[in-house]
Amino acid sequence: QVQLVESGGGLVQAGGSLRLSCAASGRTFSSSDMGWFRQAPGKEREFVAAMRWIAASTYYGDSVKGRFAISRDNAKNTMSLQMNSPKPEGTAVYYCAASLTSGGRGLDSTSYYNYWGQGTQVTVSS
């Protein structure tokens, strides 16, 4: 059974930092694209960041570019999201996601991913 489990969420002050982790089990995702999304109450799920297996290319949503950093450890089947200088509008449930493939188009779309974690709450106080 494939599982993605996020951890590291909590309360953080605006301008601080927080690191989220995603642990995968049930299959290896070392050859897959993986990403982070977030969803605030009453809003659609929003793309945050993604990393391709091929060339380890990284991509970021405009709202987090320059402040967040995605990384992965294929040997450990884990992925992280370093959140620096988060903003109050970033308060949301953060989800990690994994695709069965790599290199396709639509990396910033929820439909690109096959597996999702249960989410971890991040609250950014002003």
Side-chain angles (χ1 to χ4, degrees):
Q1 182 181 358
V2 176
Q3 274 194 316
L4 299 177
V5 179
E6 302 95 337
S7 61
L11 178 65
V12 60
Q13 280 193 327
S17 63
L18 194 68
R19 188 177 183 87
L20 305 183
S21 296
C22 174
S25 61
R27 79 182 299 272
T28 179
F29 289 101
S30 59
S31 300
S32 302
D33 295 340
M34 297 186 72
W36 288 95
F37 287 74
R38 65 188 181 189
Q39 188 167 21
K43 295 189 176 181
E44 292 187 352
R45 198 164 292 191
E46 175 191 18
F47 171 72
V48 175
M51 176 177 274
R52 292 200 186 278
W53 169 67
I54 297 173
S57 303
T58 57
Y59 304 84
Y60 297 93
D62 290 340
S63 61
V64 306
K65 203 170 293 183
R67 298 184 294 112
F68 289 13
I70 186 173
S71 61
R72 59 193 290 179
D73 185 333
N74 289 331
K76 296 181 178 179
N77 224 18
T78 60
M79 178 176 65
S80 296
L81 182 70
Q82 179 66 40
M83 304 169 58
N84 297 324
S85 298
K87 300 178 180 180
E89 53 264 41
T91 294
V93 176
Y94 283 70
Y95 298 90
C96 71
S99 170
L100 285 172
T101 60
S102 182
R105 301 180 68 176
L107 199 64
D108 57 350
S109 173
T110 57
S111 62
Y112 185 80
Y113 298 90
N114 303 97
Y115 300 102
W116 292 85
Q118 84 290 346
T120 185
Q121 175 70 45
V122 173
T123 302
V124 185
S125 63
S126 56

